[in-house]
Amino acid sequence: MRVPLSWLREYVDLPATETGRDVQAKLISAGLEVETVEHLGADLKGPLVVGRVLTIEELEGFKKPIRFCTVDVGRANGTGEPQEIVCGARNFAVGDKVVVVLPGATLPGGFSISARKTYGKTSHGMICSSDELGMGDDGTHGIIVLPPETEVGKDAVELLELVDEVLDIAVTANRGDCLSIRGVAREAAIAYGLPLRDPALLDVPGPNAYGYPVKIADPTGCDRFTARTVTGLSAEARSPIWLQRRLQKVGMRPISLAVDVTNYVMMELGQPLHAYDRSLVQGTIGVRRAQEGEKIVTLDGTERKLHAEDLVITDDRGPIGLAGVMGGANTEIADHDSAENGGNATTDVVIEAAHFDQVSIARTARRHKLSSEASRRFERGVDPQAAAAAAQRTVDLLVLLAGGTAESGVTEISAPSAPHTISVPADHPDKVAGVEYGRETVVRRLQEVGCDVYGQDELIVTVPSWRPDLTDPNDLAEEVIRLEGYENLPSTLPRPPAGRGLTSRQRLHRRVGRALAGAGYVEALNYPFVGEQVFDQLGLDADDPARRVVKLVNPLSDEEPALRTSLLPGLLGALRRNDGRGAHDLALFETGLVFHPRDEQRIAADLPVDRRPSEDDLAALDAALPDQPRHVAVVLTGAREQAGWWGKGRPADWADAVEAARTVAREAGAELGVRKGQYGPWHPGRCAELTVTVDGEERVIGHAGELHPRVLKTLGLPARTCATELDLDAVAGVGDDTPQAPGISTFPVATQDVALVVDAFVPAADVEAALREGAGELLESIRLFDVYDNAEQLGEGRKSLAYALRFRAGDRTLTVDEASAARDAAVALAGERVGAVLRS
């Protein structure tokens, strides 16, 4: 929100010596985030005057149109003689009043003006556009043409209000009242302890039966609607300079008088308004929900297909506006320029000042990707009691500036409502802040905000209509604390209990991250939001538990309204973006929470802020939250090992994905089972199922391998992309993170190699498990080093698995017979379990 200091002073008598920086410091102390103070005209130096164009000579022989003009600037040039100026603009004519900068002046940006020869003529100054004076866009993209009654020779710096200071305030989502000069002026008045001249305190006529007919079919979406009519607007009327300049300073472009007035009142009072061309409105104005598939062309010229939840303004034909967002083109105000182009200028207008539901407007704006000044205010909260005053202010300005006539009819429809009251102990702000303010200070500060306060030890507080964000005692405590000054709160450092440090879960999280980074993976942090269509893209079954999601009431994006149940969508999206930007050899990982809804839905209670929550409070809060296990996932594609002078490279494959899972298990001190599996997005022939043993039973905790080609095509991923995801909390639950020193034996190792022939469908993990159990305690390690599947030598449907077995005893050197006996026992159990036979 941009706030000109000159406009602010109209409502608060700030000390004359106060600069924008001083006001900024006061407002920041009161809790507003004033980001910058812009000094308009700081480097502008006159003379800058009003001139009248006397003659225009068209210069020929140049690549672009050039005009040689004489301009009467009165006595501003010291001689009274016409000023000769060369100009390339063409939007002015003889007799027009323009802004002239004379030699010796300096324009914004340090551009010095002097007499100089150009296009064969000497130009003594320059005729200015709004951009050259730092005024912003005035809609003309050319020379400033002033009203005919403007006095020649008048100082244009003062006339155009070129010197000012503008505060740029970052308004938070709960302070919609500060999206207006009125709201910021109220904060400034409180900060300086000065009275406020409230621009909304106007004499407003009561509603009667003669106003424009309005029908509200959805009082929940629109609880207040005021309509006023002004007729006989002059087609020649233009927005005065002061009005245009104020709009430009707050960042808006002047358009036409009727539109400028509604924008001006919106910026002044914070109440969005809309003006309809009365001649184009057919029948009763209505407010209702749209019918699915209805269409409207909005003022930006875009045809929009409406959703059944959209709130629309209608007449007898159908929608004429998206309520609280943007009006429709079919009732647009036509100005003088439109009349010159064959249209009819608007002379009669119907003014709408309404109050719409915050959530409904926010969803409509996001659904149509159409954020407007009106929607920004409605979704943050607008004062419902200001609608009638805003409509009256608009009527007064149109009568004053456009010569219109206000019709006596006043339409005002409002749903029954009562002021919001809050009961709060008088010492509640003291408990929240840890500072003793006292009842008198609490009552005084709440009254400054606009609250009505009654009671002694227990205060009954009636919240003002312009502060819908004040809903509970803690909000009132915050108001007292911020106005007393956050900087006055004592700084007390918490004393952490000694010797605790990180939890075992936190230590494991860090160790896993370091291990994967050491293995060549790069951490990628992704948003935890997903759209439910991603489960179809990943090929999950219709009854897959991962499809049960926690949906957000107010998502950042309507396309991703749910919390993730898997890390893969975010990681694969990051991989796709990086691959699209030319990084084709990728290995990414992420550790993060996933979210699963509980079978029983509970509502979390508000925790106290004046004391530490009890264990029961925290347990109840945890029970209301979804299950949030921590997962770890990796994705990789392209080259795993680069080719070079040292040898050939190697592409990433399913084995790398499995090894990443083993790396995680080693860090957790857990034994990870790996066997053939089939699930969701993975290739059925290249997918490993990852298991751990819990209380004697195997539990599947994840999968690893190469992704299915169909999934890769759907998601736009490179061929042969691989991925792993497993439940890190489940791994930690069966692991032992006690540091284990490696055993070092002084006795030699005995190595025995065995090649076993088994059926092709037998998993290597089952063979390895049988060998490990059969070999007994002497087995130190086992490693699969070869897989062979020659049908001619082994037979159809058979394969050979070759293992290296390492035997060692801790107290002696093993004999050949002992090592061979252990090997034979291992082979025998493998033959019994999986039908393995020694390959001859």
Side-chain angles (χ1 to χ4, degrees):
M1 175 68 191
R2 291 171 57 85
V3 180
L5 196 58
S6 59
W7 199 350
L8 193 64
R9 289 182 184 274
E10 281 199 9
Y11 310 128
V12 184
D13 290 326
L14 299 174
T17 57
E18 289 292 280
T19 66
R21 295 291 183 190
D22 298 329
V23 178
Q24 177 188 31
K26 283 284 189 179
L27 293 178
I28 288 176
S29 178
L32 293 185
E33 186 180 346
V34 185
E35 294 185 323
T36 60
V37 178
E38 183 179 352
H39 298 271
L40 303 181
D43 51 357
L44 179 64
K45 177 184 174 184
L48 189 71
V49 299
V50 176
R52 181 170 66 89
V53 179
L54 300 176
T55 64
I56 297 177
E57 177 187 350
E58 301 288 346
L59 302 182
E60 299 179 352
F62 301 102
K63 293 182 179 179
K64 61 179 183 178
I66 299 296
R67 310 168 100 186
F68 179 64
C69 311
T70 59
V71 184
D72 177 15
V73 295
R75 302 291 301 180
N77 58 4
T79 65
E81 296 295 324
Q83 203 76 4
E84 296 180 340
I85 299 174
V86 175
C87 182
R90 308 191 65 79
N91 67 313
F92 64 96
V94 172
D96 282 346
K97 303 289 181 64
V98 294
V99 178
V100 179
V101 58
L102 301 177
T106 302
L107 294 181
F111 182 61
S112 298
I113 302 298
S114 61
R116 63 190 183 94
K117 191 168 184 178
T118 179
Y119 296 103
K121 301 285 186 178
T122 300
S123 181
H124 298 272
M126 186 169 71
I127 302 176
C128 298
S129 68
S130 60
D131 288 338
E132 290 162 342
L133 297 179
M135 295 169 56
D137 185 11
D138 64 355
T140 65
H141 303 291
I143 295 301
I144 300 171
V145 178
L146 300 171
E149 64 273 13
T150 310
E151 179 185 351
V152 172
K154 184 178 179 63
D155 182 6
V157 174
E158 179 183 351
L159 175 70
L160 299 177
E161 303 176 16
L162 297 179
V163 178
D164 202 350
E165 292 181 280
V166 179
L167 309 177
D168 193 354
I169 303 175
V171 179
T172 54
N174 65 317
R175 290 303 305 272
D177 61 304
C178 288
L179 286 174
S180 67
I181 305 297
R182 178 197 185 200
V184 177
R186 184 182 295 109
E187 293 295 318
I190 296 172
Y192 280 93
L194 297 171
L196 169 70
R197 290 187 293 274
D198 191 343
L201 295 180
L202 301 174
D203 290 330
V204 179
N208 53 49
Y210 311 112
Y212 199 93
V214 174
K215 180 181 180 181
I216 298 178
D218 189 342
T220 302
C222 176
D223 59 8
R224 185 177 295 268
F225 195 107
T226 300
R228 299 289 298 276
T229 304
V230 180
T231 61
L233 301 181
S234 171
E236 303 296 327
R238 299 286 188 276
S239 298
I241 293 173
W242 64 266
L243 178 58
Q244 294 187 45
R245 287 298 294 133
R246 286 193 170 178
L247 289 177
Q248 288 173 330
K249 289 177 184 179
V250 298
M252 302 192 77
R253 179 173 64 87
I255 299 174
S256 65
L257 178 57
V259 176
D260 292 348
V261 166
T262 58
N263 286 336
Y264 177 85
V265 175
M266 176 180 68
M267 303 307 298
E268 181 181 52
L269 302 183
Q271 169 67 53
L273 302 109
H274 189 70
Y276 300 94
D277 188 326
R278 182 175 178 179
S279 66
L280 300 178
V281 179
Q282 298 182 9
T284 301
I285 291 178
V287 183
R288 60 168 172 83
R289 297 290 174 178
Q291 298 173 8
E292 189 69 40
E294 272 189 307
K295 295 181 179 180
I296 183 176
V297 178
T298 46
L299 289 174
D300 58 358
T302 302
E303 183 178 78
R304 303 181 185 277
K305 187 176 181 180
L306 300 178
H307 188 275
E309 292 184 4
D310 291 335
L311 197 65
V312 292
I313 310 298
T314 65
D315 64 4
D316 291 350
R317 296 168 296 177
I320 59 173
L322 269 176
V325 181
M326 185 174 285
N330 53 356
T331 56
E332 182 179 5
I333 298 294
D335 57 13
H336 174 72
D337 294 336
S338 300
E340 288 184 345
N341 293 327
N344 295 318
T346 298
T347 57
D348 302 338
V349 296
V350 178
I351 299 162
E352 165 209 306
H355 185 262
F356 300 111
D357 176 62
Q358 293 179 238
V359 175
S360 177
I361 300 305
R363 289 179 175 174
T364 295
R366 291 182 183 178
R367 190 179 297 118
H368 294 281
K369 297 180 174 60
L370 185 61
S371 179
S372 63
E373 291 290 342
S375 68
R376 286 184 62 220
R377 284 160 176 79
F378 278 123
E379 62 191 41
R380 286 165 173 78
V382 169
D383 181 2
Q385 302 296 330
Q392 182 63 43
R393 177 72 165 140
T394 305
V395 169
D396 293 343
L397 287 173
L398 289 176
V399 170
L400 175 67
L401 302 177
T405 301
E407 289 195 351
S408 60
V410 177
T411 301
E412 186 167 332
I413 301 175
S414 60
S417 62
H420 180 55
T421 59
I422 303 171
S423 178
V424 56
D427 62 349
H428 183 66
D430 302 5
K431 293 180 179 179
V432 173
V435 175
E436 188 173 342
Y437 293 121
R439 179 188 177 280
E440 290 185 3
T441 298
V442 171
V443 171
R444 175 172 57 85
R445 287 303 190 183
L446 292 178
Q447 288 175 340
E448 288 176 346
V449 171
C451 298
D452 290 332
V453 185
Y454 303 96
Q456 293 299 318
D457 294 338
E458 189 75 17
L459 302 180
I460 305 300
V461 181
T462 301
V463 175
S465 59
W466 56 83
R467 291 299 303 274
D469 59 304
L470 303 181
T471 59
D472 59 51
N474 293 328
D475 294 328
L476 300 179
E478 181 184 0
E479 291 301 297
V480 174
I481 295 168
R482 76 174 181 88
L483 294 179
E484 284 295 302
Y486 290 120
E487 67 276 9
N488 296 323
L489 293 176
S491 298
T492 305
L493 291 176
R495 295 181 180 179
R500 291 189 178 180
L502 299 175
T503 65
S504 59
R505 189 188 193 205
Q506 291 169 329
R507 289 195 297 269
L508 175 60
H509 180 203
R510 294 190 179 188
R511 288 202 311 272
V512 167
R514 286 194 294 266
L516 291 175
Y521 292 88
V522 177
E523 187 171 16
L525 301 178
N526 300 287
Y527 286 118
F529 311 117
V530 295
E532 294 182 79
Q533 72 280 358
V534 74
F535 302 125
D536 296 326
Q537 296 169 343
L538 291 176
L540 301 187
D541 293 336
D543 58 349
D544 194 298
R547 286 183 176 269
R548 293 187 63 233
V549 295
V550 177
K551 290 189 177 181
L552 301 173
V553 175
N554 190 24
L556 293 179
S557 169
D558 291 334
E559 296 179 357
E560 296 180 330
L563 292 174
R564 66 189 177 190
T565 56
S566 167
L567 301 182
L568 287 184
L571 266 183
L572 293 174
L575 184 140
R576 180 176 61 248
R577 286 191 298 274
N578 282 273
D579 180 72
R581 286 162 174 76
H584 303 303
D585 302 324
L586 296 165
L588 308 178
F589 83 93
E590 181 178 11
T591 59
L593 302 179
V594 298
F595 307 86
H596 299 288
R598 297 183 187 269
D599 294 333
E600 181 184 355
Q601 298 294 325
R602 300 183 183 180
I603 299 176
D606 291 336
L607 295 180
V609 296
D610 57 346
R611 58 182 171 81
R612 187 186 187 281
S614 67
E615 295 300 325
D616 291 340
D617 291 335
L618 296 176
L621 177 63
D622 287 337
L625 297 175
D627 289 327
Q628 302 177 54
R630 183 175 292 277
H631 280 203
V632 57
V634 305
V635 294
L636 60 165
T637 189
R640 187 69 177 126
E641 296 176 3
Q642 297 290 337
W645 57 265
W646 52 83
K648 294 181 179 180
R650 180 178 68 82
D653 61 18
W654 62 269
D656 294 302
V658 174
E659 183 58 28
R662 288 195 170 110
T663 299
V664 172
R666 280 194 296 270
E667 292 299 322
E671 185 172 341
L672 186 70
V674 180
R675 65 189 183 200
K676 183 178 179 181
Q678 183 173 346
Y679 176 71
W682 280 275
H683 193 298
R686 297 167 188 165
C687 173
E689 197 171 65
L690 310 175
T691 65
V692 294
T693 301
V694 182
D695 297 331
E697 295 185 3
E698 265 195 342
R699 175 187 168 191
V700 178
I701 61 166
H703 296 82
E706 184 179 314
L707 296 180
H708 198 288
R710 181 176 60 251
V711 173
L712 300 180
K713 182 178 180 181
T714 301
L715 295 176
L717 298 172
R720 311 303 290 269
T721 295
C722 300
T724 298
E725 182 170 14
L726 68 158
D727 187 335
L728 186 57
D729 284 350
V731 176
V734 299
D736 180 6
D737 62 353
T738 304
Q740 300 289 335
I744 301 176
S745 175
T746 58
F747 298 99
V749 66
T751 302
Q752 297 275 353
D753 292 344
V754 295
L756 302 177
V757 178
V758 296
D759 291 329
F761 61 82
V762 175
D766 291 351
V767 178
E768 181 178 322
L771 290 173
R772 189 181 297 276
E773 183 180 344
E777 295 181 354
L778 295 179
L779 182 66
E780 182 179 81
S781 67
I782 181 172
R783 178 174 62 89
L784 175 67
F785 67 86
D786 185 52
V787 178
Y788 183 67
D789 58 358
N790 191 309
E792 293 183 1
Q793 297 185 20
L794 304 177
E796 193 68 33
R798 304 280 282 175
K799 66 181 177 182
S800 170
L801 304 175
Y803 292 89
L805 310 179
R806 291 168 58 90
F807 299 96
R808 196 192 312 255
D811 57 351
R812 67 189 187 280
T813 299
L814 291 178
T815 64
V816 174
D817 292 340
E818 287 178 310
S820 298
R823 180 203 63 188
D824 293 343
V827 172
L829 187 59
E832 180 182 335
R833 291 271 182 86
V834 297
V837 295
L838 274 174
R839 178 182 169 192
S840 58

